[in-house]
Coordinates of all heavy atoms in Angstrom, one line a residue:
M1 N 289.6 42.9 349.6 CA 290.7 42.7 350.4 C 291.9 42.0 349.5 O 291.6 41.1 348.7 CB 290.3 41.7 351.5 CG 291.3 41.4 352.5 SD 290.8 40.3 353.9 CE 289.4 41.1 354.6
S2 N 293.1 42.4 349.7 CA 294.1 41.9 348.9 C 294.5 40.4 349.3 O 294.1 40.0 350.4 CB 295.4 42.7 349.1 OG 295.9 42.5 350.5
P3 N 295.1 39.7 348.4 CA 295.4 38.3 348.8 C 296.4 38.2 350.0 O 296.2 37.3 350.9 CB 296.1 37.8 347.5 CG 295.5 38.6 346.4 CD 295.3 40.0 347.0
Q4 N 297.3 39.1 350.1 CA 298.2 39.1 351.2 C 297.4 39.4 352.6 O 297.7 38.7 353.6 CB 299.3 40.1 351.0 CG 300.3 40.1 352.2 CD 301.4 41.1 352.0 OE1 301.5 41.9 351.0 NE2 302.5 41.1 352.9
C5 N 296.5 40.3 352.5 CA 295.7 40.6 353.7 C 294.8 39.4 354.0 O 294.7 39.0 355.2 CB 294.8 41.8 353.4 SG 293.9 42.4 354.9
Q6 N 294.3 38.7 353.1 CA 293.5 37.5 353.4 C 294.3 36.4 354.0 O 293.9 35.8 355.0 CB 292.8 37.0 352.0 CG 291.7 37.9 351.6 CD 291.1 37.4 350.2 OE1 291.7 36.5 349.6 NE2 290.0 38.0 349.8
Q7 N 295.6 36.3 353.4 CA 296.5 35.3 354.0 C 296.8 35.6 355.5 O 296.8 34.8 356.3 CB 297.7 35.1 353.2 CG 298.7 34.1 353.7 CD 299.9 34.0 352.9 OE1 300.2 34.9 352.0 NE2 300.7 33.0 353.1
T8 N 297.2 36.8 355.7 CA 297.6 37.3 357.0 C 296.4 37.1 358.0 O 296.5 36.6 359.2 CB 298.0 38.7 357.1 OG1 299.1 38.8 356.2 CG2 298.3 39.2 358.5
R9 N 295.2 37.5 357.5 CA 294.0 37.3 358.4 C 293.7 35.8 358.7 O 293.5 35.5 360.0 CB 292.7 37.8 357.6 CG 291.5 37.7 358.3 CD 290.3 38.2 357.4 NE 289.1 38.1 358.1 CZ 287.9 38.2 357.5 NH1 287.9 38.4 356.2 NH2 286.9 38.0 358.2
G10 N 293.9 34.9 357.8 CA 293.8 33.5 358.1 C 294.8 33.1 359.1 O 294.5 32.2 360.0
L11 N 296.0 33.5 359.0 CA 297.1 33.1 359.9 C 296.8 33.6 361.3 O 296.9 32.9 362.4 CB 298.5 33.7 359.5 CG 299.0 33.0 358.2 CD1 300.3 33.8 357.8 CD2 299.4 31.6 358.5
V12 N 296.2 34.8 361.4 CA 295.9 35.4 362.7 C 294.7 34.5 363.4 O 294.8 34.2 364.5 CB 295.5 36.9 362.6 CG1 294.8 37.4 363.9 CG2 296.7 37.7 362.3
Y13 N 293.8 34.3 362.5 CA 292.6 33.5 363.1 C 293.1 32.1 363.6 O 292.6 31.5 364.6 CB 291.5 33.3 362.1 CG 290.7 34.6 362.0 CD1 290.2 34.9 360.7 CD2 290.3 35.3 363.0 CE1 289.4 36.1 360.6 CE2 289.5 36.5 362.9 CZ 289.1 36.9 361.7 OH 288.3 38.0 361.5
T14 N 294.0 31.5 362.9 CA 294.6 30.1 363.2 C 295.3 30.3 364.5 O 295.1 29.4 365.4 CB 295.4 29.6 362.1 OG1 294.7 29.4 360.9 CG2 296.2 28.3 362.4
S15 N 296.1 31.3 364.6 CA 296.8 31.5 365.9 C 295.9 31.8 367.1 O 296.1 31.1 368.2 CB 297.8 32.8 365.7 OG 298.5 33.0 366.9
I16 N 294.9 32.5 366.9 CA 293.9 32.8 368.0 C 293.2 31.5 368.4 O 293.0 31.2 369.5 CB 292.9 33.9 367.6 CG1 293.7 35.2 367.5 CG2 291.8 33.9 368.6 CD1 292.9 36.3 366.9
S17 N 292.8 30.7 367.4 CA 292.2 29.4 367.7 C 293.1 28.4 368.4 O 292.6 27.8 369.4 CB 291.7 28.8 366.4 OG 290.7 29.5 365.8
R18 N 294.4 28.4 368.0 CA 295.3 27.5 368.7 C 295.5 28.0 370.1 O 295.5 27.1 371.0 CB 296.7 27.5 368.0 CG 297.7 26.6 368.6 CD 298.9 26.4 367.7 NE 299.6 27.7 367.5 CZ 299.7 28.3 366.3 NH1 299.3 27.7 365.2 NH2 300.3 29.4 366.1
R19 N 295.6 29.3 370.4 CA 295.8 29.8 371.7 C 294.6 29.5 372.5 O 294.7 29.0 373.7 CB 295.9 31.3 371.7 CG 296.2 31.9 373.1 CD 296.4 33.4 373.1 NE 297.8 33.6 372.7 CZ 298.4 34.8 373.1 NH1 297.8 35.7 373.7 NH2 299.7 34.9 372.8
A20 N 293.4 29.6 372.1 CA 292.2 29.4 372.9 C 292.0 27.9 373.2 O 291.7 27.5 374.3 CB 290.9 29.8 372.1
A21 N 292.3 27.0 372.3 CA 292.3 25.6 372.4 C 293.3 25.2 373.5 O 293.0 24.4 374.4 CB 292.6 24.8 371.2
A22 N 294.6 25.8 373.5 CA 295.6 25.4 374.4 C 295.2 25.9 375.7 O 295.3 25.1 376.8 CB 296.9 26.0 374.1
Q23 N 294.6 27.0 375.9 CA 294.2 27.5 377.3 C 293.0 26.6 377.8 O 293.0 26.4 379.0 CB 293.8 29.0 377.2 CG 295.0 29.9 376.9 CD 294.6 31.4 376.8 OE1 293.4 31.7 376.9 NE2 295.6 32.2 376.6
R24 N 292.2 26.3 376.9 CA 291.0 25.4 377.3 C 291.5 24.0 377.7 O 290.9 23.4 378.7 CB 290.0 25.3 376.1 CG 288.7 24.7 376.5 CD 287.8 24.7 375.3 NE 288.3 24.2 374.0 CZ 288.6 25.1 373.0 NH1 288.4 26.4 373.0 NH2 289.2 24.6 371.8
N25 N 292.5 23.5 377.1 CA 292.8 22.1 377.2 C 294.1 21.8 378.1 O 294.5 20.7 378.3 CB 293.1 21.4 375.9 CG 291.8 21.4 375.1 OD1 290.7 21.2 375.6 ND2 291.9 21.7 373.8
I26 N 294.8 22.9 378.6 CA 296.0 22.6 379.3 C 295.9 21.8 380.5 O 296.7 21.0 380.8 CB 296.7 24.0 379.7 CG1 298.2 23.7 380.0 CG2 296.0 24.8 380.7 CD1 299.1 25.0 380.1
G27 N 294.7 21.9 381.2 CA 294.6 21.1 382.4 C 294.6 19.6 382.2 O 295.1 18.8 382.9
D28 N 294.0 19.2 381.0 CA 294.0 17.8 380.5 C 295.3 17.3 380.0 O 295.7 16.3 380.4 CB 292.8 17.6 379.5 CG 291.5 17.8 380.1 OD1 291.3 17.6 381.3 OD2 290.6 18.3 379.3
I29 N 295.9 18.2 379.2 CA 297.1 17.7 378.5 C 298.2 17.7 379.5 O 299.2 16.8 379.4 CB 297.4 18.7 377.3 CG1 296.4 18.6 376.3 CG2 298.8 18.5 376.8 CD1 296.4 19.6 375.2
C30 N 298.3 18.7 380.4 CA 299.4 18.8 381.4 C 299.1 18.2 382.8 O 299.8 18.5 383.7 CB 299.8 20.2 381.4 SG 300.5 20.9 379.9
S31 N 298.1 17.4 382.9 CA 297.7 16.9 384.3 C 298.9 16.3 385.0 O 299.1 16.6 386.2 CB 296.4 16.1 384.2 OG 296.8 14.9 383.4
A32 N 299.6 15.4 384.3 CA 300.7 14.7 385.0 C 301.8 15.7 385.4 O 302.4 15.7 386.5 CB 301.2 13.6 384.2
D33 N 302.1 16.6 384.4 CA 303.2 17.6 384.7 C 302.7 18.6 385.8 O 303.5 19.0 386.8 CB 303.4 18.5 383.4 CG 304.1 17.6 382.4 OD1 303.3 16.9 381.7 OD2 305.3 17.7 382.3
I34 N 301.4 18.9 385.9 CA 300.9 19.8 386.9 C 301.0 19.2 388.3 O 301.5 19.8 389.3 CB 299.4 20.3 386.6 CG1 299.4 21.2 385.4 CG2 298.9 20.9 387.8 CD1 298.0 21.4 384.8
A35 N 300.6 17.9 388.4 CA 300.8 17.2 389.6 C 302.2 17.0 390.0 O 302.6 17.3 391.2 CB 300.2 15.7 389.5
R36 N 303.1 16.7 389.2 CA 304.5 16.4 389.5 C 305.2 17.8 389.8 O 306.0 17.8 390.8 CB 305.2 15.8 388.3 CG 306.7 15.5 388.5 CD 307.2 14.6 387.3 NE 306.9 15.2 386.0 CZ 307.7 16.1 385.4 NH1 308.8 16.6 386.0 NH2 307.4 16.5 384.2
L37 N 305.0 18.9 389.0 CA 305.7 20.1 389.1 C 305.2 21.1 390.1 O 305.8 22.0 390.6 CB 305.9 20.7 387.7 CG 306.7 19.8 386.8 CD1 306.7 20.4 385.4 CD2 308.2 19.7 387.2
C38 N 303.8 21.1 390.2 CA 303.1 22.1 390.9 C 302.4 21.6 392.2 O 301.9 22.4 392.9 CB 302.1 22.8 390.0 SG 302.8 23.6 388.5
G39 N 302.4 20.3 392.4 CA 301.9 19.8 393.6 C 300.3 19.8 393.7 O 299.8 19.8 394.7
T40 N 299.7 19.8 392.5 CA 298.2 20.0 392.5 C 297.7 18.9 391.4 O 298.4 18.6 390.5 CB 297.7 21.3 392.3 OG1 296.3 21.3 392.5 CG2 298.1 21.9 391.0
S41 N 296.5 18.5 391.5 CA 295.9 17.6 390.6 C 295.1 18.3 389.5 O 294.5 17.6 388.7 CB 295.2 16.5 391.3 OG 294.1 17.1 392.0
H42 N 295.0 19.6 389.5 CA 294.2 20.2 388.6 C 294.8 21.7 388.3 O 295.6 22.2 389.0 CB 292.8 20.4 389.1 CG 292.7 21.2 390.4 ND1 293.0 20.6 391.6 CD2 292.3 22.4 390.6 CE1 292.9 21.6 392.5 NE2 292.4 22.7 392.0
A43 N 294.2 22.3 387.3 CA 294.6 23.7 386.9 C 293.9 24.6 387.9 O 292.7 24.6 387.9 CB 294.3 24.0 385.5
D44 N 294.7 25.3 388.7 CA 294.1 26.3 389.6 C 294.6 27.7 389.3 O 295.4 27.9 388.3 CB 294.3 25.9 391.0 CG 295.7 25.9 391.4 OD1 296.5 26.4 390.7 OD2 296.0 25.3 392.5
A45 N 294.3 28.6 390.1 CA 294.7 30.0 389.9 C 296.2 30.2 389.9 O 296.7 31.2 389.3 CB 294.1 30.9 391.0
H46 N 297.0 29.3 390.4 CA 298.4 29.5 390.5 C 299.2 28.7 389.4 O 300.4 28.7 389.4 CB 298.9 29.0 391.9 CG 298.3 29.8 393.0 ND1 298.6 31.1 393.2 CD2 297.3 29.4 393.9 CE1 297.9 31.5 394.2 NE2 297.1 30.5 394.7
L47 N 298.4 28.1 388.5 CA 299.0 27.3 387.5 C 300.0 28.0 386.6 O 301.1 27.6 386.4 CB 297.9 26.7 386.6 CG 298.4 25.9 385.3 CD1 299.1 24.7 385.8 CD2 297.2 25.6 384.4
V48 N 299.6 29.2 386.1 CA 300.5 29.9 385.2 C 301.8 30.3 386.0 O 302.9 30.0 385.5 CB 299.9 31.2 384.7 CG1 300.8 32.0 383.9 CG2 298.7 30.8 383.8
E49 N 301.7 30.8 387.2 CA 302.9 31.1 387.9 C 303.9 29.9 388.2 O 305.1 29.9 388.1 CB 302.6 31.8 389.3 CG 302.0 33.1 389.2 CD 300.5 33.1 388.8 OE1 299.9 32.1 388.8 OE2 300.0 34.2 388.5
C50 N 303.1 28.7 388.5 CA 304.0 27.5 388.7 C 304.7 27.1 387.5 O 305.9 26.9 387.5 CB 303.0 26.4 389.2 SG 303.9 24.8 389.3
L51 N 303.9 27.0 386.3 CA 304.6 26.6 385.1 C 305.6 27.5 384.6 O 306.6 27.2 384.0 CB 303.6 26.3 384.1 CG 302.6 25.1 384.4 CD1 301.5 24.9 383.3 CD2 303.4 23.8 384.5
L52 N 305.4 28.8 384.8 CA 306.4 29.8 384.5 C 307.7 29.7 385.3 O 308.9 29.9 384.8 CB 305.9 31.2 384.6 CG 305.0 31.7 383.5 CD1 304.4 33.0 383.9 CD2 305.7 31.8 382.2
S53 N 307.6 29.1 386.5 CA 308.7 29.0 387.4 C 309.6 27.8 387.1 O 310.7 27.7 387.6 CB 308.2 29.0 388.9 OG 307.6 27.7 389.2
V54 N 309.1 26.8 386.4 CA 309.9 25.7 386.0 C 310.6 25.8 384.7 O 310.1 26.4 383.8 CB 309.1 24.3 386.2 CG1 308.5 24.2 387.6 CG2 307.9 24.3 385.2
S55 N 311.6 25.0 384.5 CA 312.2 25.0 383.2 C 311.4 24.4 382.1 O 310.8 23.3 382.6 CB 313.6 24.3 383.3 OG 314.1 24.0 382.1
P56 N 311.3 24.8 381.0 CA 310.6 24.1 379.9 C 311.0 22.7 379.7 O 310.2 21.8 379.3 CB 310.8 24.9 378.6 CG 311.1 26.3 379.2 CD 311.8 26.1 380.4
T57 N 312.3 22.4 379.9 CA 312.7 21.0 379.8 C 312.2 20.1 380.9 O 312.3 18.9 380.7 CB 314.3 21.0 379.8 OG1 314.9 21.6 381.0 CG2 314.8 21.8 378.6
A58 N 311.7 20.6 382.0 CA 311.2 19.8 383.1 C 309.8 19.3 382.7 O 309.3 18.3 383.3 CB 311.1 20.6 384.3
M59 N 309.1 19.9 381.7 CA 307.8 19.6 381.3 C 307.9 18.5 380.2 O 308.9 18.5 379.4 CB 307.1 20.8 380.7 CG 306.7 21.8 381.7 SD 305.9 23.1 380.7 CE 306.3 24.5 381.7
S60 N 306.9 17.7 380.1 CA 306.8 16.8 378.9 C 306.7 17.6 377.6 O 306.3 18.8 377.7 CB 305.6 15.9 379.0 OG 304.4 16.6 378.9
P61 N 307.2 17.1 376.5 CA 307.2 17.9 375.3 C 305.8 18.4 375.0 O 305.6 19.5 374.5 CB 307.7 17.0 374.2 CG 308.6 16.0 375.0 CD 307.9 15.8 376.3
Q62 N 304.7 17.5 375.1 CA 303.4 17.9 374.7 C 302.9 19.0 375.7 O 302.3 20.0 375.2 CB 302.4 16.7 374.8 CG 301.1 17.0 374.3 CD 300.2 15.8 374.3 OE1 300.4 14.8 374.9 NE2 299.1 15.9 373.5
C63 N 303.2 18.9 376.9 CA 302.8 20.0 377.9 C 303.5 21.2 377.5 O 302.9 22.3 377.6 CB 303.0 19.5 379.3 SG 302.5 20.8 380.5
N64 N 304.8 21.2 377.3 CA 305.6 22.4 377.0 C 305.1 23.1 375.8 O 304.8 24.3 375.8 CB 307.1 22.0 376.8 CG 307.8 23.2 376.6 OD1 307.8 24.2 377.3 ND2 308.7 23.2 375.6
Q65 N 304.7 22.3 374.7 CA 304.1 22.9 373.5 C 302.8 23.6 373.8 O 302.5 24.7 373.3 CB 304.1 21.9 372.4 CG 303.6 22.5 371.1 CD 304.5 23.6 370.6 OE1 305.7 23.3 370.4 NE2 304.0 24.8 370.4
T66 N 301.9 22.9 374.6 CA 300.7 23.4 374.9 C 300.8 24.7 375.7 O 300.1 25.7 375.4 CB 299.8 22.3 375.6 OG1 299.7 21.2 374.9 CG2 298.4 22.9 376.1
F67 N 301.7 24.7 376.7 CA 301.9 25.9 377.4 C 302.4 27.1 376.6 O 302.0 28.2 376.8 CB 302.8 25.6 378.6 CG 303.0 26.8 379.6 CD1 301.9 27.2 380.3 CD2 304.2 27.4 379.8 CE1 302.0 28.3 381.2 CE2 304.3 28.4 380.7 CZ 303.2 28.9 381.5
T68 N 303.3 26.8 375.7 CA 303.7 27.8 374.7 C 302.6 28.3 373.9 O 302.4 29.5 373.7 CB 304.9 27.2 373.8 OG1 306.0 26.8 374.7 CG2 305.3 28.2 372.8
D69 N 301.8 27.4 373.5 CA 300.6 27.8 372.6 C 299.6 28.7 373.3 O 298.9 29.4 372.7 CB 299.9 26.6 372.0 CG 300.7 25.9 371.0 OD1 301.8 26.4 370.4 OD2 300.5 24.7 370.5
T70 N 299.5 28.5 374.7 CA 298.6 29.4 375.4 C 298.9 30.9 375.3 O 298.0 31.6 375.5 CB 298.6 29.0 377.0 OG1 299.9 29.4 377.5 CG2 298.2 27.6 377.2
G71 N 300.2 31.2 375.1 CA 300.6 32.5 374.9 C 300.9 33.1 376.3 O 301.4 34.3 376.3
W72 N 300.9 32.4 377.3 CA 301.2 32.9 378.7 C 302.7 33.3 378.9 O 303.0 34.2 379.7 CB 300.6 32.0 379.8 CG 299.1 31.9 379.8 CD1 298.2 32.8 379.4 CD2 298.4 30.7 380.2 NE1 297.0 32.3 379.6 CE2 297.0 31.1 380.0 CE3 298.8 29.4 380.6 CZ2 296.0 30.1 380.3 CZ3 297.7 28.6 380.9 CH2 296.4 28.9 380.8
R73 N 303.5 32.5 378.3 CA 305.0 32.8 378.4 C 305.2 34.2 377.8 O 306.0 35.0 378.3 CB 305.8 31.8 377.7 CG 306.1 30.5 378.5 CD 307.1 29.7 377.9 NE 307.3 28.5 378.6 CZ 307.2 27.3 378.2 NH1 306.8 27.1 377.0 NH2 307.3 26.3 379.0
T74 N 304.7 34.4 376.6 CA 304.9 35.7 375.9 C 304.3 36.9 376.6 O 304.9 37.9 376.7 CB 304.2 35.6 374.5 OG1 304.8 34.4 373.8 CG2 304.5 36.8 373.7
E75 N 303.1 36.6 377.1 CA 302.5 37.8 377.9 C 303.3 38.1 379.1 O 303.5 39.3 379.4 CB 301.0 37.3 378.3 CG 300.1 37.2 377.1 CD 298.7 36.7 377.6 OE1 298.5 36.6 378.7 OE2 297.9 36.4 376.6
R76 N 303.7 37.1 379.8 CA 304.5 37.3 381.1 C 305.8 38.0 380.7 O 306.3 38.9 381.4 CB 304.8 36.1 381.8 CG 305.5 36.2 383.1 CD 304.7 37.1 384.0 NE 303.3 36.7 384.2 CZ 302.9 36.1 385.3 NH1 303.6 36.0 386.5 NH2 301.5 35.8 385.4
A77 N 306.5 37.7 379.6 CA 307.7 38.3 379.2 C 307.6 39.8 378.8 O 308.4 40.6 379.1 CB 308.3 37.6 377.9
R78 N 306.4 40.2 378.4 CA 306.1 41.6 378.1 C 305.9 42.4 379.3 O 305.9 43.6 379.3 CB 304.9 41.7 377.2 CG 305.1 41.2 375.8 CD 304.0 41.3 375.0 NE 304.1 40.6 373.7 CZ 303.1 40.1 373.0 NH1 301.8 40.4 373.4 NH2 303.3 39.5 371.9
Q79 N 305.6 41.9 380.5 CA 305.3 42.6 381.6 C 306.5 43.2 382.4 O 307.6 42.7 382.3 CB 304.5 41.7 382.7 CG 303.1 41.4 382.1 CD 302.4 40.5 383.1 OE1 302.8 40.0 384.1 NE2 301.1 40.3 382.7

């Protein structure tokens, strides 16, 4: 495998790991934002729709970054 291919492979694996961690941890990281913006105390089936409906500036910086890292904004934009 070429060095460039190895580097790209590493970047892809890092990106996938970051996405998986963000999706796993968003309920904990964004709990206050979820309660304030979505009217619930936990991540439920409507979480993505709720967080997509609010302005990124309405979220705390850490929650906004975690939500971005989940990839859900990008996936929704492609639909």
Side-chain angles (χ1 to χ4, degrees):
M1 183 180 305
S2 72
Q4 182 178 5
C5 186
Q6 288 177 353
Q7 180 181 13
T8 300
R9 181 179 176 199
L11 292 172
V12 169
Y13 284 143
T14 299
S15 177
I16 291 169
S17 295
R18 184 175 54 245
R19 179 179 280 206
Q23 290 177 2
R24 184 175 53 251
N25 297 321
I26 193 165
D28 294 331
I29 293 169
C30 295
S31 61
D33 293 84
I34 292 167
R36 181 173 51 86
L37 299 168
C38 301
T40 184
S41 62
H42 61 282
D44 64 15
H46 303 288
L47 173 66
V48 175
E49 290 81 10
C50 173
L51 293 178
L52 283 170
S53 73
V54 300
S55 168
T57 59
M59 295 180 205
S60 66
Q62 186 177 17
C63 179
N64 183 48
Q65 184 60 58
T66 301
F67 188 60
T68 298
D69 289 347
T70 65
W72 293 330
R73 280 191 181 123
T74 305
E75 289 174 13
R76 187 55 56 109
R78 290 183 189 153
Q79 294 178 354

